[in-house]
């Protein structure tokens, strides 16, 4: 009933023995305080931004109740994806099984909310009590006119990264290629792994429009279910959140002959490089020319705006702790503002992301090994950086160290992608680094009395 | 044990249905429940030097940290036994032993507080025997206090997890009797008390010349204080020494219907008289509590509190017309719901719909008086959305924004999580002053 993990080629990707390398295959130890997440979370992160679908969590309240509507993935239209829908398994369900309840729940959700599809997520408890998710979905499908899609990634399967991959399998096997687009644009691409956090996607789209690229499907930021079904007709896949969906692009290449490139839209350099790579992949002379002209113009515009900020930020030192594409892309992005990364670390990245980060960083830079809260605090004390760049779960801990902090993960409210995003990012960095509040906290109060007087 | 009522099961004697009955449905839509383990975490955060260890998969603890962090704007030190697929076959018993040992060795906490999850309760991991077996292998851990709270995800909500954990803390850490202290009282605040509520409560009790011992005391740990040394354990909160003094108290007070079982347990085991205080919001509720404190301390009501009372009366006069007949839609965990709804009824407002997160009747003592002026049903925020139209004010957590915005009904944030309003942990809604503030907040929300 589960996706066969050995077929996901997890083994080949984790040969790293480097200190601080992400431990994809290594088990987290009980009680050591590593703050990672679970496979269910990873699967939901990928699929939940499908805005016109209903997302039903088959589990007890811990899986949906604590965490619904808590990510910053934005929609330009439907809001259905933000609803917390769950079978809310109770004690009697655990004793007698929850399949019947699940089938009825899917039918009720479909009737009440009129979704374009229903994603149904297994959890630890539903898997343990032996509920057969696939069969229940098939049974419900008889009464539901839209696709009912089982997502079998219970939390104990592994950490977030494994859940990302399971979601990739679901997209590939059950959704992509199930409908044909009305027309096919000559320069149609898919984004894979762009979740439109805080509206990131909308910072990239103006550039795509300017150079004449059509976004066939974004997987899955601000996505509509029907667009994803036609993703197999794109001519190129652009893997944005780095490796977590590599399995998906590889399989799409095999089955549909769609080549893929990797890219990032954080920072001027990476944005330009990715746009250029897209144009080059098509090889169309006009497209390449348009792209170069666009890059030339936007780089100049963006640099002019951030120049005064860069002048003030130059020489500042940051600690970077994140996952995915940001692991390495943020190193470059910060450097564009004159900021050096003096320590970097990651938990949810792949070994490739990690190596890329390491290569970009100064060789003397510190690699964060102890990723627990305690390890993090000790590091900040040792290094006293001018800025911490990390995710929301580190935010309040970082504030206690009286250090400027920037949230770059899913909880943030500002978009940082594309050229416009770089300006937003630069302003956000400057706002925290130069905030007048930090100085106040370093002043002892009441003032020490001089004994001699 | 709560029954699986999640669709309009009336939880009290009152059968008047105040809104249109929606079609029954088999799913929960926009849950207002949080997991019991999240409630357990809040309870553990009120104990100094404690390391909280969730026996479950890593997602369980990550979701809790994120949810509590965005509510309290604080880091939440919560460790996990990080269960993976092998435990689905072999169970998590060995992992729990390893987790406790590792946490004890690596972080040197004064107390370890364990809570279980849906995953481990489904395995049937016996936490007591795991701890006993670990202590056999590691005699050095015999003296290390370890609290075990059973908080399966599929029974109850935040409030039930909190209740079970406070009970576990008390029962585990106050086995021995303590010397009688003639002026000391034990206070058991409910899960709905903010850090500032707890502080207000302590201050007030002190005004009567009594020394409060508060379990748990989040007023000095989750209050957003600035001083912090690098440590993964709780900083602030009641100390182990103070918890051990609790059996010597002259009385205990529990706050919120669900907390009465805690006071009863203390009374049963150590003979400390227990006084259940269902609510501390609203004139009559506060009057009753202060009169008890007078009795206990032999002192009159302090001048300062009488002054606050007269101000509250003045507010009631000034705003009775703006509050009277206002229709309120309220969805909260039951302790907070009853506290706020009773206060609103007291000033002439009408409860159009009251939706509790979980069934209340199994959590309270048999002698508990259920509210008679309104019906309390169990429901989620989708039920609220269906039944709130026509009301003047919605009182619920931030997630109810999905209901309030399209309905264009003012939404006063209460409960947990509240992530889109500043200053929740410093909000005081108890006592005369707090009641006044609560009414102001209702009025201001309705003023737009």
């Amino acid at each position: 009933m589960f996706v066969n993990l050995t077929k996901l080629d997890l083994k080949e990707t984790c040969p790293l023995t480097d200190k601080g390398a992400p431990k994809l295959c290594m088990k987290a130890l009980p009680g050591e305080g590593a703050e990672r997440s679970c496979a269910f979370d990873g699967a939901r992160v990928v699929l939940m931004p499908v805005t016109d679908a209903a997302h039903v969590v088959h589990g007890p309240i811990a899986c949906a109740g604590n965490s619904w509507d808590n990510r910053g993935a934005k929609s330009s239209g439907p809001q259905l994806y933000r609803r917390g829908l769950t079978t809310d398994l109770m004690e009697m369900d655990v004793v007698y099984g929850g399949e019947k309840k699940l089938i009825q729940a899917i039918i009720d959700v479909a009737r009440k909310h009129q979704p374009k599809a229903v994603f149904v997520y297994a959890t630890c408890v539903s898997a343990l009590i032996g509920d057969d998710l696939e069969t229940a979905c098939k049974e419900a499908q008889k009464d539901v006119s839209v696709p009912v899609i089982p997502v079998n990634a219970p939390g104990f399967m592994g950490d977030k990264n494994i859940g990302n991959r399971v979601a990739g399998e679901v997209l590939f096997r059950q959704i992509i290629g199930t409908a044909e687009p009305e027309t096919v644009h000559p320069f149609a691409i898919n984004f894979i792994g762009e979740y439109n956090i805080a509206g990131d996607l909308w910072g990239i789209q103006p550039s795509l429009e300017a150079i004449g690229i059509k976004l066939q499907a974004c997987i899955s930021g601000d996505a509509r279910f029907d667009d994803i079904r036609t993703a197999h007709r794109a001519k190129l896949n652009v893997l944005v959140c780095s490796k977590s969906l590599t399995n998906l692009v590889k399989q799409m290449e095999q089955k549909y002959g769609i080549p893929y490139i990797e890219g990032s839209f954080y920072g001027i350099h990476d944005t330009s490089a990715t746009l250029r790579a897209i144009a080059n992949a098509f090889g169309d002379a006009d497209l390449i020319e348009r792209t170069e002209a666009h890059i030339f113009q936007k780089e100049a515009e963006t640099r002019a705006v951030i120049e005064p900020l860069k002048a003030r930020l130059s020489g500042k030192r940051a600690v970077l702790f994140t996952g995915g594409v940001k692991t390495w892309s943020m190193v470059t992005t910060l450097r564009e503002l004159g900021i050096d990364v003096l320590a970097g670390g990651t938990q949810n990245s792949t070994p490739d992301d990690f190596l890329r980060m390491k290569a970009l960083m100064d060789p003397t830079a510190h690699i964060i090994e102890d990723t627990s809260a305690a390890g993090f605090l000790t590091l900040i004390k040792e290094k006293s950086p001018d800025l911490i760049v990390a995710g929301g779960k580190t935010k309040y801990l970082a504030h206690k160290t009286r250090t400027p902090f920037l949230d770059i993960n899913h909880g943030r409210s500002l978009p940082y992608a594309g050229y416009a995003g770089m300006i937003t990012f630069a302003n956000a960095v400057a706002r925290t680094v130069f905030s007048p509040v930090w100085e106040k906290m370093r002043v002892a109060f009441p003032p020490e009395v001089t004994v001699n007087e | 044990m709560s029954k699986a009522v999640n669709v309009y099961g009336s939880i009290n004697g009152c059968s008047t249905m105040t809104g249109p009955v929606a079609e029954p449905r088999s799913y929960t839509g926009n849950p207002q429940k949080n997991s019991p383990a999240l409630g357990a975490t809040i309870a553990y955060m009120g104990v100094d030097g404690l390391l909280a260890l969730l026996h479950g998969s890593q997602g369980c603890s990550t979701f809790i940290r994120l949810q509590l962090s965005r509510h309290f704007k604080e880091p939440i030190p919560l460790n996990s036994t990080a269960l993976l697929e092998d435990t689905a076959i072999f169970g998590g018993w060995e992992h729990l032993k390893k987790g406790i040992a590792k946490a004890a060795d690596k972080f040197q906490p004064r107390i370890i507080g364990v809570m279980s999850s849906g995953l481990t309760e489904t395995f049937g991991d016996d936490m007591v025997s795991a701890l006993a077996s670990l202590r056999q292998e590691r005699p050095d851990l015999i003296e290390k206090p370890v609290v075990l709270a059973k908080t399966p995800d599929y029974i109850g909500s935040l409030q039930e997890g909190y209740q079970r954990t406070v009970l576990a803390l008390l029962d585990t850490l106050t086995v021995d009797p303590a010397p009688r202290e003639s002026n000391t009282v034990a206070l058991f605040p409910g899960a709905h008390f903010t850090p500032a509520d707890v502080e207000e409560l302590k201050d007030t009790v002190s005004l009567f010349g009594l020394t409060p011992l508060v379990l748990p005391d989040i007023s000095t740990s989750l209050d957003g204080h600035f001083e912090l040394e690098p440590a993964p354990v709780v900083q602030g909160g009641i100390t182990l020494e103070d918890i051990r003094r609790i059996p010597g108290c002259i009385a205990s007070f529990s706050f919120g219907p669900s907390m009465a079982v805690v006071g009863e347990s203390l009374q049963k085991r150590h003979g400390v008289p227990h006084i259940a205080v269902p609510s501390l919001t609203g004139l009559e509720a506060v009057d009753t509590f202060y009169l008890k404190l007078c009795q206990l301390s032999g002192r009159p009501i302090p001048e300062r509190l009488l002054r606050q009372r007269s101000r509250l009366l003045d507010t009631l006069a000034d705003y009775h017309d703006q509050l009277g007949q206002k229709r309120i839609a309220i969805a909260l965990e039951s302790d907070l719901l009853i506290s706020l709804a009773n206060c609103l009824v007291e000033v002439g407002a009408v409860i159009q719909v009251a939706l509790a997160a979980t069934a209340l009747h199994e959590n309270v003592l048999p002698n508990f008086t259920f509210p008679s002026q309104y019906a309390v049903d169990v429901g989620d925020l989708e039920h609220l959305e269906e039944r709130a139209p026509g009301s003047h004010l919605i009182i619920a957590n931030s997630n109810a924004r999905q209901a309030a915005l399209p309905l264009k009904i003012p939404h006063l944030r209460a409960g947990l999580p509240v992530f889109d309003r500043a200053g929740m942990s410093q909000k005081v809604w108890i006592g005369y002053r707090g009641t006044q503030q609560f009414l102001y907040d209702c009025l201001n929300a309705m003023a737009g």
Side-chain angles (χ1 to χ4, degrees), chain B residues 67-90:
Chain B
Q67 182 81 318
L68 291 178
S69 261
R70 70 175 178 161
H71 177 82
F72 288 107
K73 315 295 176 199
E74 285 293 295
I76 302 296
L78 173 61
N79 210 310
S80 155
T81 53
L83 299 182
L84 284 171
E85 55 194 333
D86 54 337
T87 50
I89 303 157
F90 302 112

Side-chain angles (χ1 to χ4, degrees), chain A residues 31-32 35-36 66 68-69 82-84 86 88-89 91 104 108 112-113 128 156 396 400 402, chain B residues 26 28 30-31 33 35 62 67 73-74 79-80 84-85 106 154 225-226 382 385-386 401-402:
Chain A
E32 72 171 352
E35 298 181 353
R36 290 194 277 182
N66 293 345
W68 62 281
D69 198 11
R82 285 177 55 209
R83 285 201 171 250
T86 174
D88 188 5
L89 291 178
E91 199 170 24
Q104 195 56 47
D108 290 352
K112 163 111 182 165
H113 293 293
L128 269 186
F156 56 71
Y396 299 105
K400 297 294 182 200
R402 308 164 197 221
Chain B
S26 325
T28 294
N30 286 358
K33 284 202 293 181
S35 72
T62 291
Q67 182 81 318
K73 315 295 176 199
E74 285 293 295
N79 210 310
S80 155
L84 284 171
E85 55 194 333
K106 183 170 173 182
Y154 40 79
H225 60 285
F226 211 72
E382 227 172 77
E385 206 171 331
E386 288 157 6
R401 62 189 175 168
Q402 283 194 25

Side-chain angles (χ1 to χ4, degrees), chain B residues 194-210:
Chain B
T194 66
D197 280 336
V198 176
E199 185 174 69
E200 178 84 0
L201 178 64
K202 277 163 46 179
D203 288 352
T204 310
V205 169
S206 305
L207 285 178
F208 286 85
L210 298 165

Side-chain angles (χ1 to χ4, degrees), chain A residues 5 26-38 40-41 44 56 60-71 79 82-94 101 104-105 108-109 111-113 124-125 128-129 155-159 370 372-374 377-378 381 392-393 396-397 399-402 410 438 441, chain B residues 1-6 23-31 33-36 38 53 57-60 62-67 69-70 73-75 78-88 95 98-99 102-103 106-107 118-119 122-123 153-156 224-232 381-382 385-386 399 401-402 419:
Chain A
L5 288 178
M26 218 182 99
K27 287 169 186 163
L29 295 172
E32 72 171 352
E35 298 181 353
R36 290 194 277 182
S37 196
C38 66
F40 157 70
D41 190 25
R44 196 171 49 160
V56 178
I61 200 65
C63 308
N66 293 345
S67 62
W68 62 281
D69 198 11
N70 77 346
R71 288 180 66 85
Q79 297 295 322
R82 285 177 55 209
R83 285 201 171 250
L85 302 168
T86 174
T87 48
D88 188 5
L89 291 178
M90 302 284 200
E91 199 170 24
M92 286 303 134
D93 303 318
V94 171
K101 189 177 188 180
Q104 195 56 47
D108 290 352
V109 163
R111 189 173 50 219
K112 163 111 182 165
H113 293 293
C124 292
V125 170
L128 269 186
I129 62 177
F156 56 71
M157 192 183 232
D159 64 22
D370 185 351
S372 69
L377 283 166
T378 312
K381 211 171 185 181
K393 69 180 175 188
Y396 299 105
L397 197 65
H399 286 172
K400 297 294 182 200
T401 68
R402 308 164 197 221
H410 63 78
W438 307 116
M441 296 163 202
Chain B
M1 306 269 154
S2 80
K3 283 178 187 152
V5 191
N6 67 345
E23 282 177 69
R25 48 175 163 82
S26 325
Y27 67 93
T28 294
N30 286 358
K33 284 202 293 181
N34 283 281
S35 72
L38 183 141
L53 179 68
S57 91
Q58 293 192 81
C60 304
T62 291
F63 290 157
I64 291 173
R65 270 196 305 272
L66 284 173
Q67 182 81 318
S69 261
R70 70 175 178 161
K73 315 295 176 199
E74 285 293 295
L78 173 61
N79 210 310
S80 155
T81 53
L83 299 182
L84 284 171
E85 55 194 333
D86 54 337
T87 50
H95 273 73
K98 278 185 204 149
K102 178 83 187 173
K106 183 170 173 182
F107 302 114
L119 178 61
T122 309
F123 296 148
D153 301 317
Y154 40 79
I155 297 178
H225 60 285
F226 211 72
E227 298 70 28
L228 188 93
E229 283 302 305
L381 298 176
E382 227 172 77
E385 206 171 331
E386 288 157 6
N399 281 325
R401 62 189 175 168
Q402 283 194 25
F419 46 79

